[in-house]
């Protein structure tokens, strides 16, 4: 298992679920899920295996060597099997904030959306607030998945802003909704 130089703790657990530093062996499954879920991601075209290999080599691999990387990415595991991935992205070390990112295996979205988001949030918040001592985490969600907002509210997030007509999707403009959670351990 690769280790992030900037993290003392590498593995985060909740019941049968774990966040581990993103694994190379999960890259093609992650690519497939991203391609299947492009509608809610900031991704304009389908990824190829070559794209994904290049991304893991040029972007992901160097993150492990940095004391303060601009993102920390994790494979989300259930009983050692990767069923999602996410992390803290666009980390602003000076201001102490980061955007949360997470997608799960597409087939889990219908029945397990709220459960997996809640489970993921329990672990990633510990990374953000206990390990990295960030001040705030936030989500940037294109307003296409209304099931996300109750999960965030249940986890203690508050709606921070609505960016009106911010993203062009399927022939029209849609809003982006930002939610935030502050570090209560400061």
């Amino acid at each position: 298992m690769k280790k992030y130089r900037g993290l003392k703790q590498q593995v985060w657990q909740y019941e049968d679920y774990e966040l581990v530093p993103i694994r190379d062996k999960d890259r093609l499954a992650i690519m497939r899920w991203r391609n299947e879920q492009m509608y809610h991601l900031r991704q304009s075209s389908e990824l190829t295996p070559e794209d994904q290999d290049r991304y893991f080599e040029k972007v992901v691999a160097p993150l492990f060597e940095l004391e303060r990387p601009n993102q920390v990415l994790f494979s989300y595991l259930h009983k050692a099997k990767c069923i999602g991935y996410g992390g803290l992205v666009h980390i602003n070390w000076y201001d102490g904030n980061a955007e949360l990112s997470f997608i799960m295996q597409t087939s889990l979205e219908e029945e397990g959306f709220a459960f997996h988001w809640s489970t993921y949030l329990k672990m990633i918040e510990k990374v953000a607030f206990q390990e990295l001592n960030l001040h705030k985490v936030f989500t940037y969600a294109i307003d296409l998945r209304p099931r996300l907002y109750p999960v965030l509210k249940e986890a203690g997030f508050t709606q921070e802003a609505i960016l009106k007509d911010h993203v062009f999707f399927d022939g029209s403009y849609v809003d982006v909704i930002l939610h935030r959670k502050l570090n209560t351990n400061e």
Side-chain angles (χ1 to χ4, degrees):
M1 175 179 75
K2 289 184 179 179
K3 295 181 178 183
Y4 285 109
R5 182 176 174 199
L7 294 180
K8 291 181 186 118
Q9 183 172 335
Q10 301 292 317
V11 177
W12 303 83
Q13 295 179 300
Y14 179 78
E15 296 178 357
D16 289 338
Y17 297 87
E18 291 180 305
L19 287 181
V20 301
I22 194 167
R23 305 180 311 184
D24 286 339
K25 70 180 185 176
D26 301 326
R27 72 187 182 286
L28 294 180
I30 290 167
M31 178 198 73
R32 186 174 57 255
W33 304 329
R34 289 190 64 89
N35 287 342
E36 293 167 350
Q37 299 177 45
M38 279 178 47
Y39 72 97
H40 70 84
L41 301 173
R42 289 174 273 186
Q43 177 181 321
S44 59
S45 61
E46 285 201 6
L47 300 170
T48 66
E50 295 77 24
D51 294 332
Q52 193 73 335
D53 288 345
R54 192 170 28 259
Y55 178 77
F56 268 70
E57 178 187 334
K58 302 281 186 199
V59 177
V60 174
L63 298 173
F64 290 95
E65 301 306 317
L66 300 173
E67 197 65 43
R68 290 183 146 197
N70 64 352
Q71 56 184 334
V72 288
L73 301 171
F74 297 92
S75 293
Y76 172 69
L77 311 179
H78 179 244
K79 297 182 178 177
K81 180 181 185 269
C82 184
I83 60 169
Y85 97 107
L88 299 161
V89 299
H90 308 294
I91 300 173
N92 179 328
W93 292 101
Y94 182 79
D95 294 324
N97 62 59
E99 180 183 342
L100 292 178
S101 175
F102 179 62
I103 66 170
M104 68 188 77
Q105 181 179 314
T106 307
S107 63
L108 298 174
E109 285 226 339
E110 186 65 33
E111 298 294 321
F113 185 88
F115 173 81
H116 289 295
W117 259 99
S118 295
T119 301
Y120 169 76
L121 288 171
K122 285 177 176 73
M123 293 184 284
I124 199 68
E125 287 177 27
K126 289 182 180 177
V127 177
F129 296 146
Q130 294 175 14
E131 177 76 17
L132 300 177
N133 198 33
L134 294 175
H135 172 67
K136 176 175 92 168
V137 293
F138 64 93
T139 61
Y140 174 104
I142 300 169
D143 195 11
L144 300 170
R145 298 188 307 161
R147 293 186 300 167
L148 177 58
Y149 313 130
V151 175
L152 293 171
K153 184 176 182 181
E154 178 75 22
F157 283 73
T158 56
Q159 184 175 302
E160 184 164 53
I162 297 176
L163 305 176
K164 293 298 214 176
D165 298 329
H166 197 68
V167 175
F168 191 72
F169 174 78
D170 202 21
S172 62
Y173 286 92
V174 295
D175 299 343
V176 168
I177 301 178
L178 304 175
H179 286 80
R180 70 164 182 169
K181 187 169 187 178
L182 299 178
N183 185 349
T184 58
N185 300 322
E186 293 180 309

